[in-house]
Structure formats: structure tokens, C-alpha cells
Amino acid sequence: MYDYLIIGAGIIGLNIAKNLKERFPSSKILLLEKEKEVGLHSSGRNSGVLHAGFYYTANSLKAKFTKEGNEALKKFVKQRGLKINECKKVVVATNDKELEGLEELKRRGDANSVELQWLDEKSLSKLYPNIKTHKKALLCPSTATVNPKEVTKEFAKVIQELKIELILDCKYISSNCNVVSTTKGDFQAMKVINCAGLYADTIAKDFGFSKDYVIIPFKGIYLKDKNNNSNLKTNIYPVPNLANPFLGVHYTLTVDNESKIGPTAIPAFWRENYKGFDNFKLKEFIQILYYESKLFISNAFGFRSLAFSEIKKYSLSHLKNLAMTLTNKKMNHKGFDSWSTPGIRAQLLNKNTLELVQDFVVESDENSIHVLNAVSPAFTSSIPFANWVVEEHILKTKN
């Protein structure tokens, strides 16, 4: 019998296990991972950007966790001797309407105590000659990039140092009264914690949760310039459409000094629809196609135009042209000639309202906890989010 059984050894599952063991050293914790190593899905396939926390309203969990997570992950990375590129970030405008968006981002940053600096066109050109903006831009000094797979694997090392049991290549099958059946046998626990990412909703249903939700996958791919021929010095972002969770096409400078353009946010047709028909599951295909069809017909949150615009991004020239609205002619785009490894965003959809849920969602009772929406930027937010899950869904139920 385990005190805690955690399904999914991504960045969230690993941090919840770490947090529990540090709080309760004598507790018996089991962490199950379906793959042969950690970091093969969202935790290891994201952009690696440590966001600052100024895109979100100050009263949201995302704002709080992103700001705290940025600081906490930087501290962890430096303590463990991992790579980090503290390359900052610039958000630019292309017209007067987007200037209003920049002003709103500044207000949100101020409300969440995130350092942001205004740059006029002359100051921006002096700092970053390749970037252009309309009248002014926002500079965020605290944004950085790391290698997400390296960081996730390092948390797995911490788990082993803490003597937490981690079983790899162990796939969830079903559950009954907190006995979890897997491909490596049955395991019983006082509390089951579901951090299964793309499959969190399906596992939650076995426990009577996620009645109003379903996960809809979106595929993200970047165009890479491996040698940074573009001479990118910082991350460059457009003013986002705050009505949806996608940040628009932007430039990212990786920890290894590669430059990237993207990502796409293409609706996927099954949960691990990375390439071709790999991992194809007919039941998932039918379910996801059903909800995507409903979104297309109703055009909820502008899904129809989003789908058409995202499909166009499979064209290298189209993706480059979108990015080039943020830079001037001095920027060399010839090196952007290869696709990155795709990632899949596990985006929660409210089945009743047909809205994409834009904040963290966790459902629980005394026997189980289900992390249904570890929404972007979950990687940046992982340390404080894990702490919140433990405090709100474990400690409070104990008292």
C-alpha cells in the first residue's frame, strides 16, 4: 500500500512527488510513467521558454504561478548546473490597435509585479537592430530559455535522490477503489494523483471526474535556424490575442543558440498525432473529430478561421512571412529551413460551453486528484503549481 500513487512522470507529476516527499519524508510514494524515459511528451517537447507572467490577469492562477515559477526554475537550473540562456524577450506592435494590447500587457505586468520596460523605436533599434515595432515595444528582462528535456530529466534524478519509487514503461489500464491496474501489475494507494497530460481526462473519468471536459490536442511545430544565421539576440513576440490561449507566431532563441520561428497551433486528430499515423487510435480520432466538428460548425472562439490559418503554416514561406512582420530587412531568414520535433498541447475544452479553458483546472476528492488542465505555461509554472496542488488538494483535506 502506497500513501500516494502518481500517474505520469512529466514536469508536473515529478514536482508533486518531490513536494510530497519533502513535506512528508516517511511517506511511501510511487510514480508511474508509461514511456521508457521521462520527457517524451509535453514536458520535453515545449519551447523551453521560462515565461515571466505578464500575459495573464493578476487574479489568475497562471499569473501567480508563472511569475513564481520563473524565479523557482531559474534557481533550480542554476543549482543543478543546467544550461540557461537569459536572453530576455521583446513584445512588439505593428499598428495602433496592437499598441492598446501592449498597454494592457504593461498593466497586467504591473499588477503582477513583473518588471517590464518601455522601449521607443530608437531605443529598440539600438538594442536589437533586427527588430521593428510601431512606436514602442515592451522589454521583459526576466524571460529566459532552458532545455526542457534536460530539466525534466534532472527532476527525475531528484526523485531518485529522494528515494521515490519510479516505474517506467508502465501503462495505466484501469482503476477500482484506488487499486490502479497497469501493464506491470496492480498498485494500491491511499490517494491517486492523475498527472497524465494528454490522457488526464480519460483517466479522470474512471474516478468519476472530468464530466464537463475533454482534452483537444493542438500540434505545435517550429521552423529552425540551427546555426542562428539570423543573429537573433532575444525572443521576439507579437501582441497576443488575449481571447485565446495561443501566443501567435514568434521568434525563440534556444538555450543552444538556435533560432526558431513558430509555433503552429494546428488541431490534431488524436492525442499523440506527432507524425503521420504514428500512435493512431480510432476511438480517439472519432471523439476528437466529433468535438472539432462541433467547434468548426459553431465557430466557437473563431475556431474555423483559426483552423484555416493554422493549416497555412505548414508552408515554410507563409510561416516566415508571418514572422517577418516583427523584424526588418536586416534579418537573415535563409537559415530557417528545417522543422523542429513537434509537440502536442493538451488543451482542455468545456463540452457545455465549447470554450477552451485558459486557466489551471484540478478536480479532487478524498481518494484522488486530477490535474485536468496543466495549461501553458505549465512548464514554467511547475514548481509553484505542484506546491498549490499539495496545499489545496491534500493538506486541506487532511485538516
Side-chain angles (χ1 to χ4, degrees):
M1 169 73 83
Y2 292 91
D3 295 297
Y4 304 101
L5 184 156
I6 301 169
I7 303 167
I11 195 82
I12 302 295
L14 289 165
N15 268 286
I16 289 175
K18 175 178 177 288
N19 193 295
L20 285 168
K21 193 65 174 178
E22 288 170 347
R23 287 177 185 269
F24 313 115
S26 62
S27 61
K28 197 174 177 187
I29 302 172
L30 173 62
L31 189 53
L32 304 179
E33 169 54 46
K34 73 180 181 116
E35 303 295 354
K36 293 180 180 179
E37 61 177 287
V38 302
L40 292 186
H41 296 288
S42 298
S43 297
R45 290 174 178 258
N46 63 78
S47 67
V49 175
L50 300 187
H51 293 281
F54 63 95
Y55 278 30
Y56 325 110
T57 53
N59 60 350
S60 67
L61 294 176
K62 277 204 290 190
K64 174 180 167 61
F65 297 152
T66 307
K67 182 177 185 296
E68 293 175 0
N70 177 290
E71 296 164 3
L73 259 183
K74 279 181 182 173
K75 184 178 178 183
F76 175 80
V77 164
K78 289 172 183 177
Q79 283 177 341
R80 303 290 293 196
L82 306 182
K83 294 180 289 186
I84 184 168
N85 186 349
E86 298 192 67
C87 50
K88 306 179 183 180
K89 170 179 174 176
V90 174
V91 186
V92 301
T94 59
N95 53 49
D96 284 335
K97 190 173 190 314
E98 290 188 355
L99 279 180
E100 294 174 16
L102 275 185
E103 296 281 1
E104 175 60 22
L105 292 181
K106 183 67 165 66
R107 282 191 290 271
R108 292 183 179 193
D110 291 346
N112 203 32
S113 301
V114 176
E115 183 189 356
L116 295 170
Q117 299 167 12
W118 284 116
L119 296 174
D120 59 24
E121 290 175 275
K122 187 177 178 181
S123 302
L124 177 65
S125 181
K126 191 173 180 182
L127 277 175
Y128 303 110
N130 290 343
I131 306 176
K132 70 178 179 183
T133 194
H134 177 71
K135 295 182 181 176
K136 57 184 180 178
L138 274 178
L139 173 67
C140 179
S142 58
T143 302
T145 53
V146 296
N147 182 323
K149 198 162 190 176
E150 181 184 56
V151 172
T152 305
K153 286 186 171 184
E154 195 65 23
F155 276 114
K157 287 181 187 175
V158 172
I159 292 307
Q160 292 167 324
E161 291 164 10
L162 291 170
K163 309 299 182 191
I164 294 169
E165 191 176 347
L166 170 62
I167 302 179
L168 300 171
D169 198 19
C170 180
K171 295 178 177 64
Y172 172 91
I173 297 172
S174 63
S175 65
N176 183 27
C177 299
N178 278 37
V179 175
V180 174
S181 298
T182 76
T183 51
K184 291 199 172 178
D186 295 348
F187 304 96
Q188 188 171 6
M190 297 292 289
K191 192 175 285 278
V192 174
I193 306 171
N194 166 18
C195 302
L198 284 160
Y199 288 93
D201 61 331
T202 61
I203 291 173
K205 284 178 170 59
D206 289 351
F207 291 81
F209 290 97
S210 194
K211 292 176 181 175
D212 297 327
Y213 301 110
V214 65
I215 284 173
I216 300 296
F218 286 84
K219 185 187 295 187
I221 314 173
Y222 286 88
L223 262 182
K224 289 196 302 183
D225 174 3
K226 293 180 183 178
N227 300 312
N228 196 18
N229 295 300
S230 59
N231 197 29
L232 190 70
K233 300 291 186 186
T234 188
N235 299 300
I236 314 170
Y237 281 64
V239 175
N241 175 0
L242 297 173
N244 73 47
F246 309 114
L247 298 180
V249 172
H250 52 266
Y251 294 84
T252 304
L253 187 62
T254 73
V255 74
D256 297 314
N257 205 43
E258 288 183 353
S259 45
K260 299 191 297 185
I261 290 172
T264 61
I266 300 163
F269 293 105
W270 56 95
R271 291 168 195 250
E272 294 176 8
N273 180 198
Y274 294 117
K275 183 181 179 183
F277 282 89
D278 290 354
N279 309 305
F280 177 77
K281 293 182 176 66
L282 181 61
K283 186 178 176 182
E284 286 181 21
F285 174 75
I286 292 168
Q287 181 196 49
I288 290 164
L289 193 62
Y290 168 74
Y291 284 108
E292 288 181 352
S293 298
K294 284 186 77 170
L295 293 173
F296 191 87
I297 292 164
S298 66
N299 200 29
F301 63 86
F303 180 82
R304 201 178 303 145
S305 57
L306 173 70
F308 285 132
S309 65
E310 289 300 321
I311 289 167
K312 288 180 187 175
K313 291 177 185 173
Y314 271 124
S315 161
L316 272 67
S317 60
H318 179 70
L319 195 57
K320 285 183 189 180
N321 286 337
L322 288 174
M324 287 165 68
T325 62
L326 314 178
T327 56
N328 58 39
K329 292 178 181 178
K330 296 176 186 176
M331 186 85 150
N332 177 5
H333 286 83
K334 291 180 181 176
F336 293 102
D337 56 10
S338 61
W339 291 107
S340 68
T341 302
I344 304 273
R345 177 199 287 260
Q347 175 62 55
L348 203 66
L349 175 75
N350 185 311
K351 294 188 289 187
N352 303 319
T353 63
L354 295 182
E355 291 177 305
L356 296 183
V357 183
Q358 294 202 51
D359 211 348
F360 293 94
V361 175
V362 179
E363 295 183 339
S364 67
D365 61 14
E366 66 274 12
N367 297 315
S368 64
I369 300 168
H370 304 272
V371 179
L372 297 178
N373 208 38
V375 69
S376 178
F379 182 83
T380 303
S381 305
S382 54
I383 295 174
F385 174 65
N387 185 62
W388 177 83
V389 170
V390 171
E391 288 187 346
E392 291 294 316
H393 296 271
I394 294 177
L395 294 184
K396 282 191 176 179
T397 60
K398 284 188 169 190
N399 298 334

